[in-house]
């Protein structure tokens, strides 16, 4: 015992010294971070390093999943862009050095500042003044304004548009959007915070996260837990040394998922990876949600109940509810639920998916006209059989040292072998105009088949080099027409998208305009304006 006591004391001193050293190193590192990097597709990179914990803007919450950290301020560097290799993208997340690699220094950035309540807005006034028209925007990362500056979010743009139209009126638009929220958290937030702000109009915008295949239901896991002290829990939550050890252990066990694995998974509805990642969202059909009901964050039935209860509560307080479908993917059961609720409950609906989809079609048509290329319209009179599809991608500002390639999990697209199936810019193989920097490739598929694919630029055959965006592109082969031209895509860009899940500033502007047009038509707004 006499020998054990000194050893124990020395061991504790060493552990505390290591703990203090790690904390000092993290704090020093984070104090020098100018931009927080967003590499996307974290599922492919392994565990999030513990030193990044100090840069979070959200704190865990037993009832609301997360709450915004009061007065948090961060600037994010957008890395939704082409990369030389998968390894390069993966290395960005685990990078300890605070500097930004030179090749990304000109990438877009966006800043976030949260108010005292943890929301991305100015401070909320303590009391409501007379003759105020108050609008509250509830929602997820779309409402929060992911990938956009504060004045580019649709609540901010809505506020600016209404003030421009009605300069003599005091119009407030409060942004209560929160990253990762579903209608489950939205309903709680409405009760806890939004109704107490005495709104006249409430925008309700949830659906994308509700449809996420996470493996659990929010209503089952987000429940208050008893606060019993546990030494193990205390160490796990507060010891940086422990967190670092866990992180290093996770790195050793982590099995990387390649882009080839991802493309194959989203094209195979029976693949296990389909249930573990948002990457699978584009692969799901409405019927799949019945089969995957136990794994979706909010089931379609619960989503319907949550939205209807929010409408009831808003109306009970004398305010007007307006529904928003904020998602890029059409045809989900959540979009259908909103459309049904809108009809049955007589609630206005702004379908951002449709608004953005129409503008995307306009951009695609404008691109063809600008480049002098035509789209061969599908004919309704055709013989039964396969459809020839011509893929087209524009190399806008990037050079092509060797050749462009296309890859997908089909024999026509190389059976998932990258840099194998070459595209052409010489007037052959479906290419319409030689030397216009629009690379083309023709392949035949069955009508109604859903196609998943990516582009690569001059990489080595069989290696995932010089990748396009970290997003699997997809479309459904039309059931009419023996030959179709795909819209001209741009390498390193998705029209009206800032990433695979969110629109960009231009899309938020379109949403704000559509919401403004609808709001000003409501009887409640008209009565407030003319009182």
């Amino acid at each position: 015992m006499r020998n054990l006591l000194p050893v124990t004391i020395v061991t504790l001193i060493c552990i505390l010294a290591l703990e203090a050293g790690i904390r000092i190193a993290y704090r020093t590192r984070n104090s020098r971070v100018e931009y927080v990097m967003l590499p996307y597709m974290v599922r492919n990179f392994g565990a999030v390093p513990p030193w990044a914990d100090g840069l979070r803007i959200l704190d865990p919450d037993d009832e609301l999943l997360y709450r915004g950290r009061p007065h948090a301020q961060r600037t994010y560097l957008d890395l939704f862009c082409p990369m030389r290799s998968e390894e390069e993208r993966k290395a960005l997340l685990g990078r300890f050095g605070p500097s930004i690699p030179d090749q990304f220094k000109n990438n877009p950035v966006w800043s976030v500042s949260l108010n005292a309540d943890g929301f991305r807005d100015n401070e909320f006034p303590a009391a409501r003044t007379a003759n105020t028209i108050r609008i509250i925007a509830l929602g997820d990362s779309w409402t929060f304004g992911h990938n956009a500056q504060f004045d580019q979010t649709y609540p901010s743009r809505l506020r600016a548009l209404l003030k421009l139209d009605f300069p003599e009126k005091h119009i407030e638009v409060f942004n209560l959007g929160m990253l990762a929220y579903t209608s489950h958290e939205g309903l709680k937030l409405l009760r806890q915070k939004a109704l107490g702000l005495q709104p006249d109009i409430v925008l309700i915008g949830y659906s994308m996260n509700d449809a996420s295949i996470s493996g659990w239901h929010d209503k089952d896991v987000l429940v208050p837990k008893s606060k019993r002290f546990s030494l193990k829990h205390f160490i796990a939550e507060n010891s940086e040394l422990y967190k670092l050890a866990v992180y290093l252990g996770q790195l050793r066990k982590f099995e990387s998922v390649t882009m080839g694995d991802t493309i194959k998974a989203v094209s195979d509805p029976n693949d296990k990876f389909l249930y573990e990642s948002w990457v699978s969202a584009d692969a799901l059909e409405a019927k799949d949600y019945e089969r995957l009901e136990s794994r979706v964050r909010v089931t379609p039935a619960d989503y319907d109940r949550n939205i209807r209860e929010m409408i009831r509560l808003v109306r009970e307080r004398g305010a007007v509810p307006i529904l928003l479908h904020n998602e890029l993917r059409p045809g989900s059961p959540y979009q259908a639920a909103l459309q049904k609720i809108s009809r049955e409950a007589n609630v206005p609906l702004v379908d951002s998916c449709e608004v953005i989809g129409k503008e995307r079609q306009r951009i695609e048509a404008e691109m063809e006209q600008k480049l002098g290329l035509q789209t061969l319209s599908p004919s309704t009179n055709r013989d039964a059989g396969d459809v020839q599809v011509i893929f087209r991608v524009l190399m806008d500002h990037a050079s092509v040292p060797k050749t462009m390639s296309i890859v997908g999990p089909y024999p026509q697209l190389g059976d998932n072998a990258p840099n194998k199936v070459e595209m052409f810019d010489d007037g052959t193989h479906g290419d319409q105009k030689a030397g216009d920097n629009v690379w083309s490739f023709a392949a035949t598929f069955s009508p109604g088949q859903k196609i998943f694919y990516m582009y690569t630029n001059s990489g080595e055959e069989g290696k995932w080099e010089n990748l396009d965006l970290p997003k699997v592109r997809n479309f459904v082969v039309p059931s009419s027409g023996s030959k179709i031209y795909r819209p001209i895509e741009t390498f390193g860009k998705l029209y009206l998208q800032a990433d695979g899940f969110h629109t960009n500033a231009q899309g938020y502007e379109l949403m704000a305009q559509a919401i403004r047009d609808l709001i000003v038509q409501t009887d409640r707004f008209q009565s407030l304006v003319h009182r």
Side-chain angles (χ1 to χ4, degrees):
M1 290 299 295
R2 286 195 302 270
N3 293 333
L4 181 61
L5 184 59
V7 171
T8 302
I9 292 174
V10 171
T11 301
L12 288 175
I13 291 173
C14 290
I15 291 174
L16 291 175
L18 281 172
E19 181 75 23
I22 291 172
R23 289 174 179 266
I24 292 171
Y26 287 178
R27 181 167 295 184
T28 302
R29 183 260 183 193
N30 289 341
S31 68
R32 297 172 58 194
V33 170
E34 185 176 3
Y35 302 125
V36 179
M37 292 186 285
L38 292 179
Y40 297 95
M41 294 178 68
V42 177
R43 172 63 178 84
N44 294 14
F45 306 144
V48 177
W51 53 82
D53 193 57
L55 298 174
R56 287 187 294 108
I57 62 171
L58 305 178
D59 289 323
D61 186 86
D62 288 343
E63 294 189 32
L64 287 173
L65 184 67
Y66 298 105
R67 289 184 185 271
R69 182 173 288 180
H71 305 297
Q73 294 185 350
R74 297 287 181 269
T75 299
Y76 295 94
L77 179 73
D78 191 348
L79 294 175
F80 192 71
C81 60
M83 294 276 180
R84 286 192 291 261
S85 68
E86 291 184 295
E87 289 70 25
E88 181 181 62
R89 189 182 298 278
K90 293 171 186 175
L92 293 173
L93 186 65
R95 183 184 177 91
F96 185 79
S99 61
I100 300 297
D102 290 341
Q103 69 185 96
F104 305 119
K105 287 187 176 179
N106 293 325
N107 281 32
V109 298
W110 52 288
S111 298
V112 170
S113 296
L114 305 186
N115 62 19
D117 295 297
F119 295 105
R120 194 185 184 192
D121 208 334
N122 300 317
E123 296 299 334
F124 299 143
R128 174 171 170 162
T129 59
N131 298 321
T132 293
I133 302 175
R134 180 170 289 179
I135 301 168
I136 289 181
L138 290 172
D140 50 29
S141 50
W142 280 57
T143 304
F144 182 88
H146 202 275
N147 301 95
Q149 301 289 9
F150 172 68
D151 60 357
Q152 295 174 329
T153 67
Y154 74 77
S156 292
R157 293 302 305 140
L158 176 62
R159 181 190 303 119
L161 291 171
L162 290 173
K163 287 186 176 182
L164 185 64
D165 292 340
F166 305 95
E168 72 286 358
K169 298 297 179 181
H170 184 214
I171 300 176
E172 299 174 330
V173 180
F174 294 166
N175 187 344
L176 269 66
M178 188 56 63
L179 303 168
Y181 271 19
T182 68
S183 62
H184 178 80
E185 292 80 57
L187 178 56
K188 290 186 176 182
L189 181 61
L190 177 68
R191 288 170 172 154
Q192 292 181 10
K193 182 69 177 180
L195 293 178
L197 293 172
Q198 300 176 282
D200 298 299
I201 297 172
V202 178
L203 308 177
I204 302 172
Y206 300 97
S207 63
M208 183 180 73
N209 296 320
D210 294 72
S212 176
I213 308 300
S214 60
W216 70 79
H217 296 324
D218 280 18
K219 67 178 182 181
D220 296 331
V221 299
L222 298 177
V223 295
K225 300 177 178 63
S226 59
K227 302 295 183 180
R228 293 183 179 178
F229 178 79
S230 165
L231 181 60
K232 179 180 179 180
H233 179 74
F234 178 82
I235 293 174
E237 289 292 316
N238 297 282
S239 172
E240 296 297 342
L241 178 60
Y242 176 86
K243 293 177 184 178
L244 181 60
V246 171
Y247 170 68
L248 294 176
Q250 290 173 333
L251 285 184
R252 287 195 296 269
K253 296 179 181 179
F254 177 70
E255 295 182 6
S256 178
V257 177
T258 68
M259 285 307 305
D261 296 331
T262 302
I263 295 180
K264 185 177 179 181
V266 298
S267 62
D268 182 0
N270 296 314
D271 196 290
K272 181 182 178 182
F273 182 57
L274 176 71
Y275 309 139
E276 299 176 351
S277 173
W278 273 1
V279 177
S280 65
D282 288 327
L284 296 178
E285 305 292 343
K287 64 179 184 299
D288 293 321
Y289 285 93
E290 297 180 6
R291 175 171 55 89
L292 301 174
E293 184 172 316
S294 64
R295 305 183 67 89
V296 70
R297 285 186 62 184
V298 178
T299 67
D302 285 339
Y303 177 76
D304 184 278
R305 283 190 287 269
N306 291 340
I307 298 297
R308 290 182 188 272
E309 178 63 8
M310 281 191 266
I311 292 171
R312 186 190 70 80
L313 291 172
V314 169
R315 284 176 166 169
E316 186 176 74
R317 293 296 183 95
V320 173
I322 292 178
L323 301 178
L324 309 178
H325 175 236
N326 296 340
E327 193 174 4
L328 294 169
R329 179 174 56 107
S332 76
Y334 301 85
Q335 181 185 35
L338 285 178
Q339 293 170 344
K340 181 180 179 182
I341 294 170
S342 175
R343 292 191 303 269
E344 295 179 352
N346 193 27
V347 181
L349 168 64
V350 175
D351 195 328
S352 303
C353 181
E354 292 182 358
V355 171
I356 292 169
K358 289 179 181 178
E359 179 64 12
R360 183 183 290 116
Q361 291 176 352
R362 187 197 67 77
I363 292 173
E364 292 168 348
E366 186 179 74
M367 177 75 72
E368 290 177 338
Q369 183 179 14
K370 176 182 177 181
L371 295 171
L373 302 179
Q374 299 294 321
T375 298
L376 185 63
S377 301
S379 171
T380 56
N381 298 318
R382 60 177 292 272
D383 297 329
D386 291 339
V387 178
Q388 186 183 43
V389 177
I390 293 89
F391 297 86
R392 302 181 293 180
V393 60
L394 171 68
M395 298 303 293
D396 197 8
H397 299 294
S399 62
V400 182
K402 182 180 176 182
T403 185
M404 287 296 300
S405 299
I406 186 170
V407 58
Y410 320 97
Q412 305 95 308
L413 301 183
D415 272 332
N416 238 13
N419 296 300
K420 178 179 180 180
V421 177
E422 296 184 359
M423 304 183 76
F424 299 87
D425 185 22
D426 59 0
T428 68
H429 298 80
D431 187 59
Q432 292 176 295
K433 187 184 294 185
D436 61 353
N437 224 21
V438 176
W439 295 73
S440 307
F441 179 76
T444 302
F445 298 96
S446 301
Q449 186 176 0
K450 199 163 189 176
I451 307 300
F452 300 88
Y453 62 101
M454 291 189 70
Y455 298 115
T456 57
N457 180 4
S458 306
E460 182 179 344
E461 182 175 333
K463 293 185 178 181
W464 290 94
E465 295 179 333
N466 300 334
L467 305 174
D468 189 15
L469 301 169
K471 164 70 176 176
V472 181
R473 300 178 186 259
N474 72 89
F475 75 100
V476 177
V477 179
S479 57
S480 61
S482 58
K483 180 179 180 180
I484 65 162
Y485 284 94
R486 288 284 300 141
I488 301 169
E489 299 176 298
T490 298
F491 188 81
K493 180 187 295 186
L494 296 175
Y495 304 134
L496 285 174
Q497 290 184 225
D499 60 26
F501 309 108
H502 303 91
T503 188
N504 57 13
Q506 184 181 356
Y508 290 134
E509 176 69 23
L510 294 172
M511 292 169 57
Q513 293 173 4
I515 297 168
R516 183 270 314 271
D517 293 344
L518 194 152
I519 283 177
V520 299
Q521 297 176 21
T522 62
D523 293 339
R524 179 62 182 275
F525 186 84
Q526 287 296 320
S527 66
L528 293 171
V529 166
H530 295 104
R531 64 185 172 186

